Amino acid sequence: MNPDAGSGDGGTPPTSLSVSGTLVDTQGNPVPNASILVLGRTAPTVTDSSGAFSLTGVKAPYDVAVLANGSRIATVYRGLSRQTLTLTLLGTLAPTPRTGTLEGNLSGGDTATGDPIVLFASPEVRAEPSVLHLNNNASGRTYSAQVQWAGPAVTTGTLYSLQPVRTTPTAIPSRYTGFGWRENVSLGEGATASGSC
């Protein structure tokens, strides 16, 4: 049997299909609010918040065009006959990153060996915080870090704090004398979240 066939006798695709599927980006994240159009049909469908879509009355083989919301670049898949699809949106511009701020208190550590390193990691965050401000005050050390990510409006991850030992303030750490973490820290787009460590 032809695995690409939707159904029918002898692996021949039926004359009319109900097609359903999911649209993801190149990192496997669902793409919501994208237009899915079977070429030759007049009305596109739009993916839901989980990237899912469905089409009825499709004749195989068929061609599908995918257009991300706000983009002028389409991805086209030709000669399809499956009834269930996972499509990857290719050739689009990188999405505008989401930004949020983490702030909180740092406990422990030794100020004489160097300022701590604060990192936030989640499935959507690809780099350490881009802006980090440390303050020493009467209540201890506080930090503020701006975080960027792509994907959903809220990202949840782990906050890490490392206490390095440096021979000079700009030297590469020779070792770490302290380590702390806090799990399940959620950060929303445009929001400030507290994450003490």
Side-chain angles (χ1 to χ4, degrees), residues 1-2 5-15:
M1 182 174 188
N2 180 356
S7 63
D9 296 331
T12 303
T15 56

Side-chain angles (χ1 to χ4, degrees), residues 18-112:
S18 292
V19 176
S20 62
T22 305
L23 179 65
V24 296
D25 63 18
T26 55
Q27 296 178 348
N29 300 311
V31 179
N33 302 318
S35 295
I36 308 289
L37 175 66
V38 173
L39 301 181
R41 290 184 57 181
T42 56
T45 189
V46 176
T47 58
D48 66 14
S49 61
S50 63
F53 63 90
S54 62
L55 301 158
T56 58
V58 178
K59 293 185 179 180
Y62 58 92
D63 300 333
V64 174
V66 180
L67 184 64
N69 188 19
S71 175
R72 291 189 273 170
I73 301 172
T75 302
V76 178
Y77 290 87
R78 296 192 177 274
L80 302 177
S81 59
R82 289 183 180 263
Q83 289 183 268
T84 304
L85 302 171
T86 299
L87 301 177
T88 302
L89 186 63
L90 303 171
T92 59
L93 299 173
T96 302
R98 299 184 187 272
T99 304
T101 302
L102 276 173
E103 62 183 24
N105 297 315
L106 298 175
S107 59
D110 181 5
T111 58

Side-chain angles (χ1 to χ4, degrees), residues 134-168:
L134 288 168
N135 299 305
N136 293 313
N137 52 43
S139 62
R141 284 188 187 170
T142 62
Y143 77 93
S144 175
Q146 186 179 40
V147 179
Q148 289 188 341
W149 71 95
V154 176
T155 184
T156 302
T158 303
L159 180 68
Y160 298 95
S161 175
L162 300 166
Q163 180 64 59
V165 174
R166 293 184 170 102
T167 54
T168 66

